[in-house]
Amino acid sequence: MIFSFLKNLIYSNNKIKLSDQLVVVTGASSGIGLGITNEFAKKGCKVILIGRNENKLKNIIENIKIEFGNENCFYICSDLTIEEDFKNCKKEIENISNKFGQHVEILVNCAGSGTWKYIEDTSFKECNELISSSYSITFNMISSLLKPMLLNGGGGGGGGGTIVIINTPVSSIPIGGCVGYSCSKWAIRGLVECLNFDLSGTGINILEVIGGEIETEYFQNNNINDDQFPIIRKYLQKISIDQISKATISAIENRKQRITLPFELNFFLLLNFYPFSNLFKYFLKSENSKNYLNSIKLKQQQQQQQQQQQQQQQQQQQQQQQQLKQ
């Protein structure tokens, strides 16, 4: 990780041209996905937007035409966690690719959701949804679009094809009360590492984008409150969708493998190594996690008291039975 951090401080000289490239963006109807979509449209890319809200997607396409004059943007309304929807989406992407006579050269994986909960509060259904809405969608999209990239030497525009994966700091560091969500992001981190290993030398670049607290509706939509955030939040600035979108586009052009926003977050992540790891754990605590620990201790005390009372009652009953026998 340290080597990757130092390596990515320097931009590559092999800058690629984005105009006319065929791009797929998942989670394109809102948030980071929408921001990145608009940046691609500005660059004159052919963009395929994938999302679940058809009305939003239609409006986005119309706004792109009006604002950027880009007539080569298309939408696919699809729930990528459903196999039938996924298969239909794949066919529609192939149809658009055949229309232009070019394969998908850039895939941006933004789709994903999930709330922050302790493991004992996470249901069977919620666990499966966390994995499918984040890791499974990313895995399956890459799997379905990778072969054409490989067969065509990665892509055009002066460089190979690019696979972008939007991730979060919890893919590297745990925070309290965020087990299922964190694990789904650790799985994506593992996917990034495996892809970097397998695709080394193929001309295809894997870009992982790590964003801190981003100004989106995600936290509100998933009922994530201020007391659930770790202490580290106080020392890091919030990132706007515009900032992370522009940074992602620049990283694609410069074929970077990893970017982290805000920049100061890099230094906190580097603290997650011995001998600083124990100190770093302090910054990962939240008010919620402190309250959680206190509530567990209180419940343990109450349980012990109940057990003691039960034992006393049993002893009293035994004594009474012995007295009756006498």
Side-chain angles (χ1 to χ4, degrees), residues 82-95:
I82 301 172
E83 186 175 8
E84 193 62 32
D85 271 25
F86 181 83
K87 288 179 179 178
N88 292 333
C89 178
K90 184 179 177 182
K91 287 179 183 177
E92 290 191 54
I93 292 173
E94 289 174 354
N95 291 337

Side-chain angles (χ1 to χ4, degrees), residues 221-233:
N221 292 341
N222 288 280
N223 298 315
I224 298 170
N225 302 315
D226 288 345
D227 64 352
Q228 292 177 263
F229 284 87
I231 294 171
I232 190 177
R233 181 195 196 192

